[in-house]
Protein backbone atom coordinates (compact mmCIF):
# COMPACT_ATOMS: atom_id res chain seq x y z
CA UNK A 1 0.00 0.00 0.00
CA UNK A 2 1.24 3.45 -0.87
CA UNK A 3 2.39 5.56 2.03
CA UNK A 4 0.77 8.92 2.65
CA UNK A 5 2.72 11.96 1.43
CA UNK A 6 3.40 13.42 4.89
CA UNK A 7 5.61 10.73 6.45
CA UNK A 8 7.46 10.28 3.11
CA UNK A 9 8.10 14.05 3.04
CA UNK A 10 9.42 13.97 6.59
CA UNK A 11 11.67 11.03 5.79
CA UNK A 12 12.99 12.78 2.69
CA UNK A 13 13.70 15.93 4.68
CA UNK A 14 15.53 13.89 7.30
CA UNK A 15 17.53 12.15 4.58
CA UNK A 16 18.41 15.51 2.94
CA UNK A 17 19.42 17.01 6.28
CA UNK A 18 21.61 13.96 7.05
CA UNK A 19 23.23 14.13 3.62
CA UNK A 20 23.88 17.87 4.00
CA UNK A 21 25.33 17.31 7.47
CA UNK A 22 27.63 14.54 6.30
CA UNK A 23 28.90 16.38 3.20
CA UNK A 24 32.49 17.70 3.35
CA UNK A 25 32.37 21.22 4.76
CA UNK A 26 33.11 24.22 2.56
CA UNK A 27 32.09 27.84 2.95
CA UNK A 28 28.78 27.39 1.15
CA UNK A 29 28.12 24.27 3.20
CA UNK A 30 28.81 26.22 6.38
CA UNK A 31 26.44 28.99 5.31
CA UNK A 32 23.78 26.39 4.55
CA UNK A 33 24.26 24.83 7.98
CA UNK A 34 23.85 28.24 9.63
CA UNK A 35 20.70 28.85 7.58
CA UNK A 36 19.20 25.57 8.86
CA UNK A 37 20.45 25.64 12.45
CA UNK A 38 17.93 25.94 15.27
CA UNK A 39 18.29 27.01 18.92
CA UNK A 40 15.89 27.16 21.88
CA UNK A 41 14.43 30.49 22.92
CA UNK A 42 12.53 33.25 21.16
CA UNK A 43 12.38 33.04 17.36
CA UNK A 44 13.29 36.72 16.87
CA UNK A 45 16.48 36.26 18.90
CA UNK A 46 17.40 33.19 16.84
CA UNK A 47 16.87 35.07 13.57
CA UNK A 48 18.92 38.04 14.81
CA UNK A 49 21.70 35.63 15.78
CA UNK A 50 21.51 33.99 12.36
CA UNK A 51 21.90 37.36 10.61
CA UNK A 52 24.82 38.30 12.88
CA UNK A 53 26.54 34.97 12.42
CA UNK A 54 26.08 34.99 8.64
CA UNK A 55 27.51 38.52 8.49
CA UNK A 56 30.48 37.47 10.67
CA UNK A 57 31.24 34.52 8.38
CA UNK A 58 30.95 36.74 5.29
CA UNK A 59 33.25 39.40 6.77
CA UNK A 60 35.81 36.83 7.92
CA UNK A 61 35.84 35.22 4.46
CA UNK A 62 36.10 38.62 2.75
CA UNK A 63 39.16 39.36 4.90
CA UNK A 64 40.81 36.17 3.72
CA UNK A 65 40.23 33.97 6.78
CA UNK A 66 40.52 30.28 5.96
CA UNK A 67 37.59 27.94 6.51
CA UNK A 68 39.60 26.34 9.30
CA UNK A 69 40.04 29.68 11.08
CA UNK A 70 36.37 30.53 10.63
CA UNK A 71 35.30 27.20 12.11
CA UNK A 72 37.74 27.69 14.99
CA UNK A 73 36.35 31.19 15.65
CA UNK A 74 32.81 29.87 15.69
CA UNK A 75 33.75 26.98 17.94
CA UNK A 76 35.74 28.73 20.65
CA UNK A 77 33.41 31.71 21.02
CA UNK A 78 35.53 34.31 19.20
CA UNK A 79 32.71 34.98 16.75
CA UNK A 80 30.17 35.46 19.54
CA UNK A 81 32.60 37.71 21.40
CA UNK A 82 33.40 39.94 18.42
CA UNK A 83 29.73 40.33 17.65
CA UNK A 84 29.01 41.15 21.29
CA UNK A 85 31.69 43.83 21.18
CA UNK A 86 30.08 45.35 18.09
CA UNK A 87 26.67 45.31 19.81
CA UNK A 88 28.14 46.97 22.91
CA UNK A 89 29.65 49.71 20.77
CA UNK A 90 26.31 50.25 19.06
CA UNK A 91 24.48 50.48 22.39
CA UNK A 92 27.04 52.86 23.87
CA UNK A 93 26.49 55.30 20.98
CA UNK A 94 22.87 55.71 21.99
CA UNK A 95 22.52 54.36 25.53
CA UNK A 96 19.01 53.21 26.51
CA UNK A 97 17.54 54.51 29.83
CA UNK A 98 18.44 51.25 31.57
CA UNK A 99 22.12 52.01 30.87
CA UNK A 100 21.92 55.75 31.46
CA UNK A 101 20.22 55.23 34.83
CA UNK A 102 22.43 52.38 36.01
CA UNK A 103 23.43 52.60 39.67
CA UNK A 104 26.52 50.46 39.08
CA UNK A 105 29.83 51.60 40.54
CA UNK A 106 33.11 50.11 41.71
CA UNK A 107 32.82 48.27 45.04
CA UNK A 108 29.10 47.57 44.60
CA UNK A 109 29.17 43.81 44.24
CA UNK A 110 25.81 42.29 45.18
CA UNK A 111 25.57 41.13 41.55
CA UNK A 112 28.75 39.09 42.11
CA UNK A 113 26.96 37.04 44.79
CA UNK A 114 25.94 34.08 42.67
CA UNK A 115 22.73 32.09 42.85
CA UNK A 116 24.50 28.74 42.64
CA UNK A 117 27.86 27.07 42.12
CA UNK A 118 27.76 27.52 38.33
CA UNK A 119 27.86 31.31 38.18
CA UNK A 120 26.73 31.60 34.56
CA UNK A 121 27.61 30.51 31.04
CA UNK A 122 30.84 31.56 29.35
CA UNK A 123 32.60 30.50 26.15
CA UNK A 124 36.03 28.95 25.76
CA UNK A 125 37.78 32.21 24.85
CA UNK A 126 36.20 33.88 27.87
CA UNK A 127 37.21 30.98 30.11
CA UNK A 128 40.80 31.00 28.91
CA UNK A 129 41.08 34.74 29.42
CA UNK A 130 39.65 34.58 32.93
CA UNK A 131 42.11 31.83 33.74
CA UNK A 132 45.00 33.95 32.48
CA UNK A 133 43.92 36.87 34.66
CA UNK A 134 43.28 34.86 37.83
CA UNK A 135 46.00 32.22 37.80
CA UNK A 136 48.67 34.65 39.12
CA UNK A 137 46.38 35.34 42.13
CA UNK A 138 46.13 31.66 43.16
CA UNK A 139 46.06 31.06 46.88
CA UNK A 140 45.14 34.60 47.91
CA UNK A 141 41.90 35.42 49.75
CA UNK A 142 39.03 35.63 47.27
CA UNK A 143 35.42 36.75 47.00
CA UNK A 144 34.22 33.83 49.12
CA UNK A 145 36.07 35.31 52.09
CA UNK A 146 33.61 38.23 51.91
CA UNK A 147 30.45 36.21 51.14
CA UNK A 148 30.24 32.41 50.79
CA UNK A 149 28.31 32.64 47.51
CA UNK A 150 30.42 35.41 45.95
CA UNK A 151 32.33 34.92 42.73
CA UNK A 152 35.89 33.84 43.51
CA UNK A 153 37.23 36.52 41.15
CA UNK A 154 36.04 39.23 43.52
CA UNK A 155 38.51 41.05 45.77
CA UNK A 156 37.13 40.47 49.30
CA UNK A 157 38.49 43.80 50.57
CA UNK A 158 37.63 46.24 47.80
CA UNK A 159 34.74 44.17 46.38
CA UNK A 160 35.93 44.90 42.89
CA UNK A 161 36.47 42.32 40.16
CA UNK A 162 40.11 41.25 40.02
CA UNK A 163 39.69 40.35 36.35
CA UNK A 164 37.62 43.39 35.39
CA UNK A 165 39.16 43.96 31.96
CA UNK A 166 38.83 40.27 31.12
CA UNK A 167 35.37 39.67 32.59
CA UNK A 168 32.97 37.78 30.33
CA UNK A 169 30.01 39.14 28.39
CA UNK A 170 27.60 38.00 31.10
CA UNK A 171 29.20 40.29 33.69
CA UNK A 172 29.43 43.18 31.21
CA UNK A 173 25.72 42.94 30.45
CA UNK A 174 24.47 42.81 34.04
CA UNK A 175 23.31 46.13 35.45
CA UNK A 176 20.74 47.68 37.73
CA UNK A 177 19.03 50.97 38.43
CA UNK A 178 18.89 50.15 42.14
CA UNK A 179 21.75 48.74 44.20
CA UNK A 180 19.36 48.08 47.09
CA UNK A 181 17.30 45.85 44.79
CA UNK A 182 20.50 43.95 44.00
CA UNK A 183 21.14 43.48 47.72
CA UNK A 184 17.61 42.14 48.21
CA UNK A 185 17.99 39.79 45.23
CA UNK A 186 21.33 38.55 46.49
CA UNK A 187 19.53 37.52 49.69
CA UNK A 188 17.00 35.51 47.67
CA UNK A 189 14.41 38.24 47.02
CA UNK A 190 12.92 39.32 43.70
CA UNK A 191 13.14 43.12 43.64
CA UNK A 192 12.79 44.86 40.26
CA UNK A 193 15.55 47.00 38.80
CA UNK A 194 18.26 44.52 37.82
CA UNK A 195 18.59 43.05 34.36
CA UNK A 196 20.72 42.15 31.42
CA UNK A 197 21.53 44.20 28.36
CA UNK A 198 20.59 42.25 25.24
CA UNK A 199 24.28 41.88 24.33
CA UNK A 200 24.69 38.73 26.43
CA UNK A 201 21.55 36.89 25.24
CA UNK A 202 22.42 37.81 21.66
CA UNK A 203 26.02 36.62 21.98
CA UNK A 204 24.92 33.39 23.61
CA UNK A 205 22.36 32.85 20.84
CA UNK A 206 25.15 33.32 18.26
CA UNK A 207 27.24 30.74 20.14
CA UNK A 208 24.29 28.33 20.32
CA UNK A 209 23.64 28.73 16.62
CA UNK A 210 27.31 28.11 15.85
CA UNK A 211 27.13 24.93 17.91
CA UNK A 212 24.03 23.75 16.07
CA UNK A 213 25.59 24.58 12.69
CA UNK A 214 28.84 22.76 13.51
CA UNK A 215 27.29 19.63 14.99
CA UNK A 216 29.42 16.69 13.87
CA UNK A 217 32.28 18.99 12.76
CA UNK A 218 33.77 20.41 15.97
CA UNK A 219 32.71 20.43 19.59
CA UNK A 220 31.39 23.84 20.65
CA UNK A 221 31.44 24.10 24.42
CA UNK A 222 30.45 26.34 27.28
CA UNK A 223 31.83 26.62 30.80
CA UNK A 224 30.70 27.62 34.28
CA UNK A 225 32.15 31.00 35.24
CA UNK A 226 32.38 30.39 39.00
CA UNK A 227 33.87 26.90 38.65
CA UNK A 228 36.45 28.17 36.18
CA UNK A 229 37.41 31.04 38.47
CA UNK A 230 37.64 28.76 41.51
CA UNK A 231 39.82 26.28 39.65
CA UNK A 232 42.15 29.04 38.41
CA UNK A 233 42.50 30.38 41.94
CA UNK A 234 43.22 26.88 43.27
CA UNK A 235 46.27 26.92 41.00
CA UNK A 236 45.01 24.43 38.41
CA UNK A 237 46.46 24.83 34.93
CA UNK A 238 44.20 26.00 32.16
CA UNK A 239 43.30 22.54 30.83
CA UNK A 240 42.43 21.27 34.31
CA UNK A 241 40.40 24.40 35.00
CA UNK A 242 38.49 23.97 31.73
CA UNK A 243 37.84 20.33 32.65
CA UNK A 244 36.51 21.40 36.06
CA UNK A 245 34.21 24.02 34.55
CA UNK A 246 33.02 22.29 31.37
CA UNK A 247 29.24 22.32 30.97
CA UNK A 248 27.20 19.37 29.75
CA UNK A 249 25.69 20.35 26.34
CA UNK A 250 22.21 20.86 27.76
CA UNK A 251 23.40 23.85 29.83
CA UNK A 252 23.62 26.13 26.80
CA UNK A 253 20.11 25.14 25.76
CA UNK A 254 18.85 25.84 29.28
CA UNK A 255 20.60 29.21 29.31
CA UNK A 256 19.05 30.13 25.96
CA UNK A 257 15.60 29.19 27.25
CA UNK A 258 16.02 31.08 30.50
CA UNK A 259 17.68 34.31 29.38
CA UNK A 260 15.83 37.57 29.72
CA UNK A 261 17.10 40.97 28.78
CA UNK A 262 16.25 44.54 29.87
CA UNK A 263 15.29 45.47 33.38
CA UNK A 264 13.32 42.38 34.25
CA UNK A 265 14.59 40.47 37.26
CA UNK A 266 17.55 38.60 35.82
CA UNK A 267 19.42 35.57 36.96
CA UNK A 268 22.92 34.66 35.94
CA UNK A 269 22.85 31.94 33.25
S1 LIG B 1 24.26 45.35 39.10
FE1 LIG B 1 23.60 46.03 41.15
S2 LIG B 1 25.11 45.20 42.58
FE2 LIG B 1 26.01 45.13 40.53
S3 LIG B 1 27.19 47.06 40.40
FE3 LIG B 1 25.13 47.41 39.48
S4 LIG B 1 23.91 48.25 41.17
FE4 LIG B 1 25.72 47.30 42.09
S1 LIG C 1 34.00 37.72 37.03
FE1 LIG C 1 34.15 39.68 38.13
S2 LIG C 1 32.34 40.86 37.50
FE2 LIG C 1 31.97 38.71 36.97
S3 LIG C 1 30.85 37.85 38.73
FE3 LIG C 1 33.05 37.46 39.05
S4 LIG C 1 33.80 39.17 40.28
FE4 LIG C 1 31.81 39.79 39.41
Amino acid sequence: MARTGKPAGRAARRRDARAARDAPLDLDGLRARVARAAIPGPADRAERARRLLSAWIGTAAAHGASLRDIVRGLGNGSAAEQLRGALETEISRNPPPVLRDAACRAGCAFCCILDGPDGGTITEVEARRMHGALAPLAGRPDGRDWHPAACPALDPETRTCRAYDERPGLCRAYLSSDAEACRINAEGGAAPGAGLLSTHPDALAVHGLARAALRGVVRVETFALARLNAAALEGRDVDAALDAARHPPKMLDEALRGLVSSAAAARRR
Side-chain angles (χ1 to χ4, degrees):
M1 200 165 100
R3 286 169 180 259
T4 64
K6 201 170 174 189
R10 255 204 314 262
R13 275 200 299 280
R14 270 201 300 270
R15 214 171 34 242
D16 289 349
R18 214 167 27 241
R21 202 177 54 227
D22 294 343
L25 192 65
D26 58 15
L27 200 55
D28 287 341
L30 177 60
R31 286 192 172 109
R33 280 170 171 255
V34 170
R36 281 195 311 271
I39 52 171
D44 60 336
R45 186 198 292 155
E47 287 316 307
R48 194 163 54 245
R50 198 184 314 280
R51 284 196 300 276
L52 289 167
L53 196 52
S54 300
W56 185 89
I57 292 169
T59 304
H63 282 81
S66 67
L67 180 65
R68 192 170 163 203
D69 286 344
I70 291 173
V71 168
R72 186 184 301 128
L74 295 175
N76 66 15
S78 295
E81 180 164 271
Q82 287 167 19
L83 289 165
R84 173 181 54 75
L87 294 171
E88 283 170 358
T89 302
E90 197 179 304
I91 286 179
S92 69
R93 284 200 189 110
N94 186 18
V98 67
L99 191 54
R100 284 201 305 270
D101 301 340
C104 303
R105 57 179 172 75
C108 181
F110 299 117
C111 55
C112 300
I113 298 173
L114 308 174
D115 65 0
D118 186 276
T121 300
I122 60 175
T123 64
E124 183 185 334
V125 287
E126 290 177 324
R128 287 184 181 277
R129 228 184 8 256
M130 285 302 289
H131 185 276
L134 294 176
L137 307 174
R140 296 194 198 167
D142 68 41
R144 294 164 294 184
D145 293 295
W146 165 57
H147 188 289
C151 175
L154 201 67
D155 184 316
E157 295 294 325
T158 64
R159 296 178 200 171
T160 54
C161 178
R162 294 182 292 168
Y164 188 79
D165 290 341
E166 313 299 345
R167 70 200 192 289
L170 168 60
C171 303
R172 292 169 193 268
Y174 203 91
L175 78 181
S176 174
S177 59
D178 184 356
E180 176 60 13
C182 294
R183 188 191 63 74
I184 293 168
N185 293 343
E187 290 173 357
L196 279 175
L197 290 175
S198 59
T199 49
H200 178 60
D202 282 346
L204 222 49
V206 164
H207 197 57
L209 211 57
R211 185 182 70 172
L214 291 175
R215 193 154 287 143
V217 178
V218 294
R219 208 163 52 165
V220 179
E221 299 180 308
T222 60
F223 300 85
L225 171 65
R227 290 191 206 281
L228 186 287
N229 293 351
L233 290 165
E234 282 162 15
R236 297 201 215 180
D237 67 27
V238 66
D239 289 333
L242 289 173
D243 284 346
R246 183 168 284 109
H247 273 160
K250 68 174 186 183
M251 290 296 285
L252 180 54
D253 290 339
E254 286 177 10
L256 288 168
R257 277 190 203 99
L259 277 169
V260 290
S261 59
S262 86
R267 295 166 65 80
R268 285 181 169 269
R269 302 270 183 182

